Amino acid sequence: MDAKQSKIAVVTGAGSGIGRAVAVELLRAGWSVALAGRRPGPLEETAALVPDGACVAVRTDVARPEDVDGLFAAAVARFGRVDLLFNNAGTFGPGGVPVEDLPYDAWRHVVDTNLNGAFLCAQAAYRQMKEQDPQGGRIINNGSVSAHTPRPHSVAYTATKHALTGLTKSLSLDGRPYGIAVGQIDIGNAATAMTSRMQTGALQANGELAPEPVMDVADVARTVRHMAELPLEANVQFATVLATAMPYVGRG
């Protein structure tokens, strides 16, 4: 992808984990990328991993409408349009807290980030993609295998990831007239700071602690890039990428 053909992506949660891996994969493939995250330092670290990449770092709290508006304004001001939103920013919330003990503020924080933030970013991307010329673009929501099967004590995270699936389907339908393709990637046990506990012991449905296999986050990034680089006439509606031997399919 040469400079004339470079496409423009917005990646949220780009300062670490899956967001960083996807941003780096896209930058190395010649995309121009707006890096969004709450902390400028990690965003600059992501940018430094591809020194010759075309990117802009924008401090963004996705739960704040004004921040999201500013993110897309900055992306368009710098690059002229938006071809892709990787809607990735998210939080697990307090881990291992039973339903009856989960503080309402903690519930709200997870919902505000994972669901409200995803909606705000998708809405901003949709508006831009509908109005730009050429019209259209792609939104890829980062779901989770928790969108299908919960872990113990994960009610807020699981509820938001189930809701994200509904968001994906509705956006996919509503985007058809405008060439906006919307899909979702559900990820299981990619090796990031968020999943570091998996390798030492994760709570299982039977109450036991057991280590779980993880996979290289680069494998997730390559999958997102494949989805992103399809022509808009083709769409991966849902993709599940997970550590092959993790307890998910069947009984464990």
Side-chain angles (χ1 to χ4, degrees):
M1 194 180 296
D2 63 31
K4 292 182 180 178
Q5 297 173 319
S6 180
K7 293 204 170 189
I8 314 307
V10 173
V11 177
T12 66
S16 62
I18 292 166
R20 171 175 284 181
V22 168
V24 166
E25 178 73 18
L26 293 174
L27 286 166
R28 287 175 175 165
W31 286 67
S32 301
V33 181
L35 308 169
R38 290 180 296 106
R39 297 174 296 151
L43 296 178
E44 298 296 343
E45 291 169 7
T46 298
L49 293 173
V50 190
D52 57 347
C55 64
V56 59
V58 185
R59 197 213 66 80
T60 309
D61 180 345
V62 297
R64 295 172 60 87
E66 60 272 26
D67 280 17
V68 173
D69 290 344
L71 165 63
F72 281 84
V76 173
R78 174 69 182 271
F79 300 119
R81 60 182 287 116
V82 174
D83 297 294
L84 171 70
L85 165 65
F86 182 47
N87 218 355
N88 165 75
T91 180
F92 194 82
V97 179
V99 174
E100 65 272 23
D101 296 329
L102 183 69
Y104 181 63
D105 286 349
W107 164 271
R108 280 294 303 270
H109 175 65
V110 176
V111 172
D112 283 344
T113 303
N114 295 5
L115 180 56
N116 296 341
F119 164 73
L120 290 170
C121 290
Q123 184 183 54
Y126 188 101
R127 287 170 173 163
Q128 173 61 33
M129 292 171 180
K130 181 180 176 182
E131 297 302 324
Q132 64 194 9
D133 185 20
Q135 190 180 61
R138 189 180 305 274
I139 298 169
I140 301 174
N141 292 324
N142 184 355
S144 169
V145 295
S146 291
H148 310 279
T149 303
R151 289 186 176 276
H153 305 325
S154 67
V155 64
Y157 183 79
T158 297
T160 58
K161 293 303 184 179
H162 275 255
L164 204 61
T165 299
L167 180 69
T168 297
K169 291 180 178 180
S170 290
L171 289 169
S172 185
L173 179 62
D174 293 344
R176 285 178 181 175
Y178 311 110
I180 301 172
V182 185
Q184 181 170 314
I185 183 166
D186 296 328
I187 301 164
N189 286 20
T192 68
M194 190 172 173
T195 62
S196 59
R197 69 185 187 284
M198 300 295 180
Q199 298 176 72
T200 55
L203 183 63
Q204 305 298 306
N206 65 0
E208 295 180 357
L209 285 175
E212 295 186 12
V214 297
M215 62 175 169
D216 192 328
V217 71
D219 294 324
V220 174
R222 283 193 292 270
T223 304
V224 173
R225 179 185 163 196
H226 166 70
M227 296 169 70
E229 292 186 342
L230 288 171
L232 291 178
E233 293 77 18
N235 187 40
V236 176
Q237 188 68 70
F238 291 97
T240 302
V241 183
L242 70 165
T244 303
M246 69 176 286
Y248 171 66
V249 176
R251 297 180 180 269

